[in-house]
Amino acid sequence: MLHAFAKLNAHRQVEILDASARIFAIDGYHAASIAQICEEAQISNGALYKYFKNKEDLFFTVLDRCADLMVNEIATIYSSNHNTELAIRMLLQATEKLAANYRDYLKIYADLGSGSYTVFSAETSEKFELVVSKYLLRVVEDGKRRNEFDTKLDNSLLTFFIDNYVMLFLYSLVSEYHHKRFEAFLCEGKGILSTKKKIDLVMQSISIIIK
């Protein structure tokens, strides 16, 4: 972002980024137009270019806000006093809350896995992955100290295993395709899954590695 954007009050910054996120979530980065973003954010084309060098710069700023939202939500929920199942369930509930309050941002985050976003995922993957992986690594390390995991299992592999279920859950909240995929794999497409039921199914799946 440029200095002019940083000088705006925090509320106006959020309004512009939230409006931009809505357009990026609906149309994707490549199809989204500056004109659409300006209309949604209620700013002129000239003003946008005072705030950001180009569309790419704006998109990276939206991604930064997305990462900050995830960090702020997840950083507050962990306690070493939580057992493994509770710590993972709380992470899933925090993800549900993020999807409810900031769906557009999580939709953009989910889209980073597609091939057309390679340049952005390469630049931001470490920032995003550290948010969840650091949390889950602490869960695994503390769980091992409480003898809730087989100590022979590698911490990184355990973290990766759990993370994949968390990501499947997250994607199912913001993508109809991934919602159907979740149903197909975890309940054979029977019935309409509530978010609570999804969390229960994820916990049931993950429980195979927890003593």
Side-chain angles (χ1 to χ4, degrees):
M1 73 181 78
L2 299 176
H3 182 60
F5 185 73
K7 288 175 64 177
L8 292 175
N9 69 65
H11 179 71
R12 187 57 181 139
Q13 288 182 22
V14 168
E15 284 183 335
I16 292 170
L17 293 178
D18 287 357
S20 302
R22 282 193 291 275
I23 300 301
F24 286 132
I26 294 169
D27 295 333
Y29 170 78
H30 297 288
S33 72
I34 291 296
Q36 289 174 298
I37 291 168
C38 288
E39 182 178 355
E40 188 72 18
Q42 297 185 343
I43 57 175
S44 68
N45 189 289
L48 188 77
Y49 283 108
K50 287 181 181 178
Y51 301 148
F52 305 97
K53 290 182 287 187
N54 47 39
K55 186 169 74 168
E56 181 178 291
D57 184 34
L58 170 60
F59 191 66
F60 273 120
T61 307
V62 168
L63 291 177
D64 284 341
R65 172 158 163 75
C66 180
D68 288 343
L69 291 168
M70 293 173 70
V71 168
N72 292 339
E73 188 64 39
I74 293 171
T76 62
I77 63 174
Y78 186 73
S79 167
S80 58
N81 295 324
H82 296 153
N83 64 31
T84 295
E85 290 194 9
L86 177 58
I88 296 172
R89 184 175 289 275
M90 289 181 70
L91 175 61
L92 295 170
Q93 290 170 340
T95 303
E96 176 189 8
K97 183 178 176 182
L98 282 166
N101 294 331
Y102 304 104
R103 179 182 175 83
D104 295 328
Y105 287 94
L106 257 65
K107 174 69 166 58
I108 292 167
Y109 170 65
D111 287 344
L112 286 177
S114 67
S116 62
Y117 284 82
T118 301
V119 63
F120 299 107
S121 57
E123 289 283 334
T124 60
S125 61
E126 184 175 358
K127 179 185 298 185
F128 279 110
E129 298 314 318
L130 283 176
V131 176
V132 177
S133 64
K134 282 180 67 177
Y135 178 93
L136 289 177
L137 183 58
R138 288 176 64 192
V139 170
V140 168
E141 290 172 344
D142 288 341
K144 277 194 173 182
R145 282 194 285 272
R146 290 189 296 267
N147 198 35
E148 293 174 349
F149 292 109
D150 186 339
T151 56
K152 295 178 183 178
L153 294 174
D154 180 77
N155 287 3
S156 296
L157 289 178
L158 285 170
T159 300
F160 184 68
F161 177 84
I162 300 168
D163 179 74
N164 273 277
Y165 275 100
V166 173
M167 290 300 105
L168 176 61
F169 173 68
L170 184 156
Y171 292 163
S172 77
L173 298 178
V174 298
S175 162
E176 184 62 25
Y177 166 76
H178 284 287
H179 171 74
K180 295 296 184 185
R181 192 167 184 267
F182 190 107
E183 287 185 330
F185 276 92
L186 294 184
C187 70
E188 300 177 349
K190 297 176 182 176
I192 298 174
L193 287 178
S194 66
T195 303
K196 182 182 181 303
K197 181 62 175 176
K198 285 182 182 180
I199 291 176
D200 290 340
L201 286 169
V202 168
M203 294 306 305
Q204 181 182 332
S205 301
I206 291 175
S207 68
I208 65 172
I209 62 169
I210 302 173
K211 291 185 179 180

